[in-house]
Amino acid sequence: MHVCSTDTSGEIVDGLFYWVLGHPDDMFEDYQEEDYGEKIIFVPSDPDGYPARPIVEKRDRKDIFGCPADKTHRTRQLLQGISIVVEAGGTLPVFWNTENFFVMNDAIETMKKAGLRGTDCIRPKFETEVYTDQEMRDDLRVMTFPGGDILRPYRVTPPGADNCPFCGRVPIVCQTCGHINRSCPKCNKQIITVKKDLPTDSPLVRIRVDDNSVLDGSRWDGSDFLNPSLITRRALKLFQQENIGPCTALNCATYLGSCTPEQRDKLGEMSGLPL
Ligand SMILES: [Zn+2]
Ligand SMILES: [Zn+2]
């Protein structure tokens, strides 16, 4: 049977990039008691945040295409607009609400001053003014994480099987941007399945979606805030130093084998780690 899964071969390092998630304060304190070393890091919140939580009513996102190998591959999504209501409780300035990263303008200024890149924000539209005041409405921003997706492209095993099993005319995984052809753009047949109990002679390729993801360091464009919700170690250090939270940062492994010496130097400089 053919399998499409995260490629964990080669030189892989921890501590360069983190998935960032938020927690309501009440949950947060339970987690904080355990020590997960550098794998999971909890950043407490600034006690001066607004005692309120944004709830997303509507978001407007634009698909960005532009893979050099195939222009039909979507390489990222950019947030263009967001409508919210506010409920009492919780703490800002940084709060993760399902998919979005709300932040106070002061925290953005702190990030810019520290030289972080990709701090582009939009201003949310308040559907009602309940639990808000003018100061908060002027202050609140939503981060857009504009840096390109740097997931390492999946690999199909056994080697040599990375082509449509029906017509053989199309690679299943784009090794430039990581796009996966779930069905074949040439013969239109379904290629990928998530089913685990496939018969051994099935031509379908099983995708393993529950693996931990791996990034490809050579795809990094220098941004500190990357699609869909990754931050650099440099950004995390600033969050810790300035109490920009509450949020949780989960280590995401990075493959370095594809990096040029210059790309490796840039990652070393960003993280302060010996690479
Ligand atoms: Zn085909
Ligand atoms: Zn592509």
Side-chain angles (χ1 to χ4, degrees):
M1 198 214 315
H2 295 174
V3 177
C4 178
S5 58
T6 300
D7 187 352
T8 53
S9 64
E11 183 191 0
I12 293 196
V13 299
D14 286 330
L16 296 180
F17 296 95
Y18 290 82
W19 296 111
V20 67
L21 310 163
H23 279 293
D25 281 349
D26 39 353
M27 277 170 71
F28 198 72
E29 274 157 25
D30 296 343
Y31 281 99
Q32 253 182 316
E33 285 170 15
E34 297 245 3
D35 183 7
Y36 297 91
E38 291 258 296
K39 294 272 183 188
I40 307 178
I41 292 171
F42 299 94
V43 184
S45 62
D46 184 330
D48 294 323
Y50 293 93
R53 256 171 216 178
I55 307 291
V56 176
E57 295 278 288
K58 200 173 139 234
R59 51 174 84 78
D60 178 17
R61 281 177 294 211
K62 187 179 169 195
D63 290 332
I64 307 289
F65 300 87
C67 168
D70 185 326
K71 285 195 291 270
T72 66
H73 296 168
R74 188 183 79 185
T75 52
R76 70 184 86 174
Q77 276 197 321
L78 266 193
L79 186 67
Q80 303 221 296
I82 195 159
S83 303
I84 62 167
V85 294
V86 170
E87 69 172 19
T91 311
L92 291 169
V94 174
F95 180 76
W96 182 263
N97 184 295
T98 57
E99 291 172 56
N100 300 103
F101 208 74
F102 290 89
V103 63
M104 292 299 154
N105 198 37
D106 270 0
I108 290 292
E109 291 304 321
T110 305
M111 294 179 210
K112 284 185 185 161
K113 224 178 272 171
L116 296 189
R117 290 197 237 159
T119 54
D120 318 31
C121 289
I122 56 171
R123 293 182 71 144
K125 180 170 178 277
F126 289 79
E127 293 286 334
T128 75
E129 298 188 353
V130 181
Y131 298 123
T132 71
D133 57 26
Q134 190 62 45
E135 190 193 345
M136 180 186 176
R137 290 195 295 277
D138 288 342
D139 207 11
L140 193 62
R141 302 285 185 276
V142 185
M143 303 196 73
T144 59
F145 287 72
D149 180 348
I150 63 165
L151 273 185
R152 185 180 191 184
Y154 274 34
R155 108 182 128 168
V156 178
T157 47
D162 190 2
N163 269 301
C164 171
F166 301 101
C167 70
R169 286 157 69 199
V170 183
I172 299 169
V173 180
C174 174
Q175 290 300 322
T176 303
C177 75
H179 173 85
I180 297 171
N181 282 313
R182 286 164 192 274
S183 55
C184 177
K186 296 272 191 233
C187 71
N188 293 321
K189 292 205 171 83
Q190 180 193 347
I191 299 175
I192 296 284
T193 180
V194 290
K195 284 197 194 121
K196 291 186 177 158
D197 52 351
L198 284 184
T200 44
D201 59 349
S202 169
L204 291 180
V205 176
R206 180 165 82 82
I207 189 164
R208 283 212 321 247
V209 287
D210 39 9
D211 293 351
N212 287 329
S213 26
V214 173
L215 308 173
D216 181 341
S218 71
R219 299 185 66 198
W220 184 49
D221 61 9
S223 176
D224 290 284
F225 299 91
L226 292 75
N227 247 239
S229 60
L230 267 182
I231 61 172
T232 58
R233 181 185 188 84
R234 172 169 65 191
L236 175 61
K237 293 290 159 198
L238 185 75
F239 279 24
Q240 289 178 300
Q241 194 186 312
E242 301 288 336
N243 281 348
I244 299 176
C247 62
T248 307
L250 308 176
N251 171 66
C252 190
T254 306
Y255 170 62
L256 293 184
S258 51
C259 289
T260 61
E262 293 76 29
Q263 287 170 330
R264 199 179 273 265
D265 286 350
K266 270 178 128 183
L267 288 164
E269 193 187 307
M270 173 279 282
S271 63
L273 297 175
L275 297 181

